[in-house]
Amino acid sequence: MNNNQKSTGWRANKWIRAAIPALLLHFSIGTVYCWSLFSEAISADIGWGKPAVEWAFSFAIFFLGMSAAFLGKIVEKNIHLSSLIATICFAVGMAGTGFFIYYGSNHTHSVLALVGIYVCYGLIMGIGLGTGYLSPVKTLMLWFKERKGLATGLAVAGFGGAKAIASPVMEWLQPKVGTSTMFYILAGVYFIMMFVGHLLLKKPDGWVEPTNTDKSQSILATIKTKGWANYIGIWVMFYINITCGLALISQEKMIVKCVGLAAFAGIISTFSAIFNAAGRLGFSAWADSLKDRNTIYKLIFTISIALTGLVIVTSGIKNAALSTAGFTDISIQNMLLVVLVLALIFMVNAGYGGGFSNVPTLLSDHYGMGNISAIHGITLSAWAFAGLSGNQLATWIVSKFGTPIKGTLHGDEVVINPTGYQYVLYATIALYLIALCMSVFFVKKSDKALAASNNKDDDSLVKAAE
């Protein structure tokens, strides 16, 4: 075999053995973000209020992060076992959710149905989410050594973009077959997709895992090499980015209605998902060209602070709502405010996605590839806690501040709280400022970034001498 044939085979393998399996896994598990499309239907079917049902999604995100944290060692040791666990748990959890929706529809207000949904959608699917999210990441970074950010961004973009692809399918399927049957069908489809991904996923030939007598001690020792303040800074800024993202995204639909765009809520939701996916791919690919990947987080937080500050200063949400006649039309006077609010929504979605895709590569720059799956898994515990705090923070603020206003949206009477949504921004801008401080003062430059800076300084000295 000549060099050209070897090169072509390598290029084919990195797509077949890493990129395609990662997309199959992440496009499947990313549909967890479609929850809002059927949560009201589940509530109606089983006879429980929406607040009680909503905990299923919070549990799913919580167990995603915690399973990633505790099962990271399995992913590190055997990606085929972890991807198989992900496939089975996600499909079984989805099918089980369908069963308990069916059971609840025949036994209204059944505690068993509600708890069953918590266990299946929250716990079992959550385990599938965590292991499925982690399984292809290290493999991608091993295959795409020179463009690690692009590779991980591509896969994680699949997780963020899954909502944009799956949403219209679910909206078409649900009325035709019912909510429970829809879950059965999706469980079958996603099992096939993920199982194919599981079969294809493979690390590069010649890669030998580092051997350690005490793997858990090795992980702690690896983190300690850069100092705990450095790792805590990464964990906290990751946690804050998710919390702020979820706080705004959870109120996105009502904010869109509030500023007179109820008719375009579905389109805006799709665009939000596209920005989320684009942020995952774009920010991570951009980071490949930077000496220090932490620069991306500084940019994300700075832009988010600037846009949030503009909407606060202009009272964008509140004034756009109050100047929208009957909450149905957009006047020329408030058009700029509406554009500003949409820019904030889209940018927060992009930064939310970009924060996810840059974490594994930032960690690999600091701590190397040896234990990256385990360290990444531990770091995803930030996602678990943010999944519980982000939505609830925004909901609490909206319930405690401002005065609900009744309005008419395309013939339907709704209750909105523009001041409450505006107050959510006070919390998020404060958190973004803390995250920026963490990024600037706590997260040190990686060895790679320091080496790149030193090389640049050496080159400058040589040119000056010449």
Side-chain angles (χ1 to χ4, degrees):
M1 182 182 287
N2 60 37
N3 289 335
N4 288 337
Q5 287 174 319
K6 288 181 180 179
S7 177
T8 301
W10 180 83
R11 288 194 182 98
N13 279 338
K14 73 178 180 179
W15 292 102
I16 295 171
R17 292 301 198 178
I20 292 174
L23 286 172
L24 286 170
L25 289 166
H26 277 220
F27 267 127
S28 300
I29 63 177
T31 54
V32 68
Y33 280 133
C34 294
W35 169 259
S36 62
L37 296 177
F38 43 75
S39 57
E40 289 185 4
I42 293 175
S43 175
D45 284 349
I46 68 174
W48 283 88
K50 198 166 180 291
V53 173
E54 284 293 337
W55 277 101
F57 177 76
S58 295
F59 288 145
I61 300 300
F62 176 77
F63 284 109
L64 184 163
M66 297 312 293
S67 64
F70 286 101
L71 298 178
K73 295 178 189 176
I74 294 177
V75 179
E76 196 73 66
K77 185 176 180 180
N78 191 334
I79 57 168
H80 288 108
L81 176 59
S82 65
S83 59
L84 183 61
I85 291 173
T87 301
I88 294 172
C89 286
F90 189 77
V92 168
M94 185 161 274
T97 301
F99 170 77
F100 281 107
I101 293 170
Y102 170 78
Y103 180 85
S105 65
N106 290 288
H107 301 81
T108 305
H109 209 72
S110 166
V111 174
L112 177 61
L114 183 64
V115 173
I117 292 171
Y118 287 166
V119 171
C120 291
Y121 197 93
L123 173 60
I124 300 175
M125 267 182 63
I127 294 172
L129 288 165
T131 51
Y133 189 90
L134 273 184
S135 290
V137 172
K138 179 174 180 176
T139 305
L140 281 162
M141 289 193 287
L142 291 174
W143 279 106
F144 293 79
K145 291 182 179 179
E146 301 303 318
R147 299 288 287 170
K148 292 189 293 185
L150 174 65
T152 56
L154 181 66
V156 180
F159 190 94
K163 179 182 175 183
I165 295 173
S167 292
V169 175
M170 291 182 179
E171 288 179 333
W172 172 82
L173 188 61
Q174 187 177 350
K176 293 183 179 297
V177 300
T179 307
S180 60
T181 304
M182 179 188 74
F183 270 89
Y184 297 145
I185 294 171
L186 293 176
V189 171
Y190 291 134
F191 177 82
I192 294 171
M193 289 174 60
M194 294 180 72
F195 192 70
V196 171
H198 153 72
L199 294 176
L200 292 175
L201 192 64
K202 184 179 184 295
K203 291 180 180 178
D205 294 333
W207 170 256
V208 179
E209 294 288 351
T211 56
N212 294 288
T213 55
D214 187 349
K215 200 72 174 177
S216 62
Q217 180 62 35
S218 174
I219 295 166
L220 296 177
T222 301
I223 293 175
K224 191 177 179 180
T225 58
K226 292 289 180 179
W228 283 102
N230 186 74
Y231 179 76
I232 290 170
I234 294 174
W235 193 97
V236 170
M237 71 181 191
F238 183 46
Y239 164 78
I240 288 176
N241 193 47
I242 302 170
T243 297
C244 291
L246 289 176
L248 189 64
I249 292 169
S250 67
Q251 304 301 315
E252 181 181 305
K253 186 175 180 180
M254 290 308 298
I255 291 172
V256 167
K257 288 182 177 182
C258 186
V259 298
L261 296 175
F264 306 100
I267 296 173
I268 291 171
S269 177
T270 299
F271 269 100
S272 294
I274 292 171
F275 270 88
N276 190 309
R280 292 169 190 255
L281 181 59
F283 279 122
S284 56
W286 187 5
D288 282 335
S289 64
L290 300 174
K291 293 189 292 291
D292 185 6
R293 291 182 189 275
N294 186 35
T295 303
I296 285 295
Y297 286 96
K298 295 173 186 175
L299 289 168
I300 289 172
F301 298 141
T302 300
I303 296 170
S304 298
I305 289 167
L307 285 172
T308 304
L310 282 172
V311 177
I312 288 174
V313 169
T314 60
S315 294
I317 298 173
K318 183 178 178 181
N319 288 337
L322 294 177
S323 59
T324 301
F327 306 122
T328 56
D329 301 314
I330 305 174
S331 63
I332 295 175
Q333 290 79 7
N334 78 325
M335 179 65 75
L336 182 59
L337 295 177
V338 171
V339 170
L340 194 59
V341 170
L342 290 179
L344 174 62
I345 290 173
F346 293 151
M347 179 56 217
V348 167
N349 271 277
Y352 177 82
F356 274 105
S357 60
N358 276 286
V359 161
T361 48
L362 178 65
L363 291 170
S364 70
D365 283 355
H366 279 275
Y367 304 109
M369 292 295 294
N371 285 308
I372 189 60
S373 294
I375 295 173
H376 186 203
I378 293 170
T379 308
L380 288 179
S381 63
W383 194 358
F385 292 106
L388 293 178
S389 62
N391 295 7
Q392 280 71 22
L393 172 66
T395 301
W396 180 82
I397 291 173
V398 172
S399 67
K400 295 294 182 180
F401 298 94
T403 304
I405 302 172
K406 288 186 178 181
T408 303
L409 286 165
H410 300 279
D412 298 325
E413 190 175 274
V414 296
V415 178
I416 58 174
N417 185 358
T419 303
Y421 311 138
Q422 192 74 35
Y423 269 70
V424 171
L425 302 185
Y426 287 102
T428 59
I429 196 171
L431 289 171
Y432 276 132
L433 285 167
I434 294 171
L436 181 60
C437 290
M438 287 287 176
S439 182
V440 172
F441 299 111
F442 282 77
V443 181
K444 302 174 183 177
K445 284 188 175 182
S446 65
D447 292 338
K448 177 184 174 183
L450 288 171
S453 297
N454 291 335
N455 289 337
K456 183 178 179 182
D457 292 339
D458 291 342
D459 291 340
S460 299
L461 289 172
V462 170
K463 288 180 181 179
E466 292 174 348

